[in-house]
Amino acid sequence: MLRSVLTAIFLFLLWYLMSGIDKSLTLGLGLGSSIFAVWIVRRMENASEFKSLKVQLHPVESLKYCIWILLEILKSNWTVTKVILSPNMNIKQNMFEVPFSQKSDLGQTIFANSITLTPGTISVEVEENHFLVHALVFSSNDHAALAEMNERVSKIEGNVK
């Protein structure tokens, strides 16, 4: 209990130092927000069924994947920037299914988030064995690129050798 009170005080003081507003209504809302945040965290701790999540990812493959996805994000960013800045905005939107081969929820989450992180694409829906993806600038190469991403995420999980 003492930890929760101290955390709420710390959050309120941090909020006050960053905002610098000293009106009574705003101070009350800041204090209420701090208490509410601590209450939510306490409820989440109590509701948690799992005390730990077993993560089995290959560190070397994960590092290689992080470097690769950063480069893919930069390339996609460049493509989307060219489309936005072009006078005719050559947008070719499409929704399509992308199958995944990850066995764990964590692997599927990494894959779906990687799709969404890449500018111009977003994972819209998760189905039994595929994602529904929206692409701003769809090309025939998208399926091959997402298949490569799927394979790389599976390597992180250890599913593909």
Side-chain angles (χ1 to χ4, degrees), residues 27-89:
L27 288 173
L29 290 172
L31 181 62
S33 297
S34 301
I35 292 169
F36 183 67
V38 171
W39 179 74
I40 290 291
V41 169
R42 292 280 306 237
R43 283 193 48 128
M44 289 172 58
E45 287 174 352
N46 293 337
S48 175
E49 294 177 24
F50 307 104
K51 293 299 176 190
S52 66
L53 176 64
K54 201 172 190 181
V55 177
Q56 296 179 340
L57 301 178
H58 294 272
V60 174
E61 292 296 330
S62 297
L63 181 62
K64 288 196 288 189
Y65 182 75
C66 286
I67 293 168
W68 179 82
I69 194 68
L70 283 173
L71 293 172
E72 292 300 309
I73 289 170
L74 289 173
K75 287 193 282 187
S76 292
N77 215 346
W78 179 252
T79 302
V80 171
T81 302
K82 286 191 313 189
V83 168
I84 290 171
L85 294 178
S86 72
N88 59 358
M89 280 189 98

Side-chain angles (χ1 to χ4, degrees), residues 22 25 60 81 88 92 96 103 125 134:
D22 59 353
L25 176 64
V60 174
T81 302
N88 59 358
K92 298 175 188 164
F96 55 98
K103 303 296 182 216
E125 190 173 301
H134 177 268

Side-chain angles (χ1 to χ4, degrees), residues 64-130:
K64 288 196 288 189
Y65 182 75
C66 286
I67 293 168
W68 179 82
I69 194 68
L70 283 173
L71 293 172
E72 292 300 309
I73 289 170
L74 289 173
K75 287 193 282 187
S76 292
N77 215 346
W78 179 252
T79 302
V80 171
T81 302
K82 286 191 313 189
V83 168
I84 290 171
L85 294 178
S86 72
N88 59 358
M89 280 189 98
N90 193 14
I91 295 175
K92 298 175 188 164
Q93 297 183 53
N94 193 12
M95 302 255 315
F96 55 98
E97 295 178 354
V98 176
F100 58 81
S101 61
Q102 291 75 37
K103 303 296 182 216
S104 69
D105 289 341
L106 179 61
Q108 292 170 14
T109 303
I110 291 170
F111 185 35
N113 285 340
S114 296
I115 292 170
T116 301
L117 272 172
T118 309
T121 57
I122 186 166
S123 303
V124 177
E125 190 173 301
V126 180
E127 294 293 331
E128 184 74 24
N129 56 356
H130 66 272

